[in-house]
Amino acid sequence: MSICCADIPRLPGLESIIFRAGLTGGQRIVRWPYVAENDSIQPWVSGGELVFVTGINHRRTERNLCQMVKEAVNSNVAGLVILTGPEFIQQIPNSVLELANQHQLPILEQPYSLKMVLVTEVISNAIVQDNLLGKSVRLFLTKLINGFDQAPELIHLRAGDLGISDNCPFATLALRISHINPKTDDPNYQLLHFNHELEQHLGSILKRRQIDWPVLNYEKDLLAIWPVTENDTSELYDELEQVLSLLQKRFPQLVLCIGVSERKTGLDKLAEATEQARQALQFAIKHQHQRIFFYEQLGIARLYAAIPNRGLLADFCKQHLGELCFARDDATLEMKSTLNHYFNHFGHLQQTADAMSVHRNTLNYRLNKIEQRLGYSLQDPFLRLNLQNALLIEQILFHHHNIEEQASTPALHHD
């Protein structure tokens, strides 16, 4: 729902501004207009600005304009608007346009006859109005996700007031950074930074696909409402695989996972869809050989999750996991990870060792230690099945416990 570079020539009064280069980057979000008056823009921008280059107070050579394109790319600005006319910058050099195309940086051309005061006012007003509407939509959707009980008729009326459709089939996507590859002294700062960048980029992808829903922040996850059709799941999987590929290409240092809900119709089903997507996400994170996980794939886990007697499930876990049950120390987590890999590869030792990037002898040593801790052999197929189910149930119980803890703890929500 944000204003992007491609929207600028469509705003009332700005029709004489034309797109000249970097069309593939047209969905970059415009955070605010900025008029460049210095030789370099890098010290003065922080990302997301639409930078206007007039040439009035500073002479702009071809070399300087190319330098500005490079600085714009490095500073992650939304795009450049270059003013042209007979007095200052007469035309945009081809080398500048080619460089912008190479980096997918939007360049727009504005005639000097169009007054800057009008342009900045129109763009600023559009951004402010869009932000106000976006906050209202986000607040409305967040309330629905948090279970605020409203009749479907009232939800329909409120959605209409906000200009959003609530009668189209959709699936909820839950996206999370499961791992950051490079080591850092301040991982929490990096996580917040990447989450913000990821939210912006995911929003651009949705806008490019003509999806008007905003990206939502919900606890650790980013949520997106994805319109779906009557077609089978394989088509949706292909679409989301493209999305994940685009995000991974933009953020190669991150390991990303997506959980997908069942197909739903009506925003009164949004809370249920969100819970399903987050359950599927937990499995995608746990079994990262499949980083897009559909709720329909959970199979028997859905039955366990529906059992209201958590104590019964916990007793089953304790019976089969013994002292490993609910333990979170590094050694125990390594044992559980080893077991999950072992079960995922149907007990095939070499495939398990390859998947874990360890020597087969190391794997045998770990499995022997696990058998000592459990007090029984992994060769018994019935006990192995119970153990695999116990690991699955333990994961479900942890997921529900975390949700209940977060629900009972007051949280600050930022739009």
Side-chain angles (χ1 to χ4, degrees), residues 230-400:
E230 299 285 350
N231 297 327
D232 59 23
T233 303
S234 61
E235 183 173 324
L236 178 58
Y237 183 86
D238 290 342
E239 290 179 359
L240 298 183
E241 200 170 43
Q242 291 177 15
V243 171
L244 188 59
S245 177
L246 288 171
L247 292 173
Q248 288 287 187
K249 185 177 180 181
R250 176 65 178 80
F251 302 99
Q253 62 275 73
L254 304 181
V255 176
L256 304 173
C257 294
I258 295 177
V260 188
S261 75
E262 292 177 319
R263 181 178 179 274
K264 303 288 182 183
T265 301
L267 288 178
D268 56 311
K269 305 291 195 306
L270 184 58
E272 181 185 354
T274 299
E275 171 61 17
Q276 288 182 357
R278 298 186 76 212
Q279 283 187 31
L281 176 61
Q282 290 294 115
F283 282 82
I285 292 171
K286 190 74 174 177
H287 310 284
Q288 290 191 6
H289 60 282
Q290 182 179 338
R291 298 226 244 120
I292 300 175
F293 211 96
F294 284 75
Y295 181 73
E296 290 95 331
Q297 295 175 284
L298 295 184
I300 196 171
R302 295 165 63 179
L303 300 179
Y304 290 142
I307 295 175
N309 189 342
R310 301 292 176 204
L312 182 65
L313 294 174
D315 288 343
F316 181 87
C317 288
K318 290 172 186 174
Q319 178 185 349
H320 295 284
L321 284 172
E323 60 186 47
L324 301 184
C325 188
F326 303 129
R328 307 298 290 171
D329 59 279
D330 290 343
T332 303
L333 289 175
E334 182 184 80
M335 287 184 175
K336 291 177 184 178
S337 175
T338 300
L339 282 172
N340 276 314
H341 277 92
Y342 181 64
F343 293 141
N344 289 340
H345 291 88
F346 307 103
H348 193 289
L349 293 175
Q350 191 58 56
Q351 289 181 9
T352 305
D354 291 342
M356 297 183 68
S357 300
V358 299
H359 194 276
R360 181 165 171 165
N361 290 343
T362 303
L363 175 62
N364 275 321
Y365 173 76
R366 291 184 184 177
L367 292 174
N368 288 333
K369 284 188 66 176
I370 290 170
E371 288 181 332
Q372 291 172 16
R373 290 279 297 272
L374 293 174
Y376 57 82
S377 171
L378 294 175
Q379 300 307 309
D380 185 320
F382 184 72
L383 290 175
R384 197 162 62 203
L385 176 63
N386 286 335
L387 180 57
Q388 188 172 9
N389 282 317
L391 288 168
L392 179 62
I393 293 170
E394 184 194 38
Q395 187 178 339
I396 293 169
L397 292 177
F398 264 121
H399 175 63
H400 280 277

Side-chain angles (χ1 to χ4, degrees), residues 47-71:
E49 296 88 355
L50 184 63
V51 178
F52 288 80
V53 183
T54 67
I56 296 174
N57 295 323
H58 187 88
R59 184 170 176 269
R60 300 295 179 184
T61 63
E62 181 175 350
R63 181 177 179 181
N64 178 254
L65 289 173
C66 285
Q67 172 196 325
M68 295 193 80
V69 170
K70 293 175 183 175
E71 290 184 3

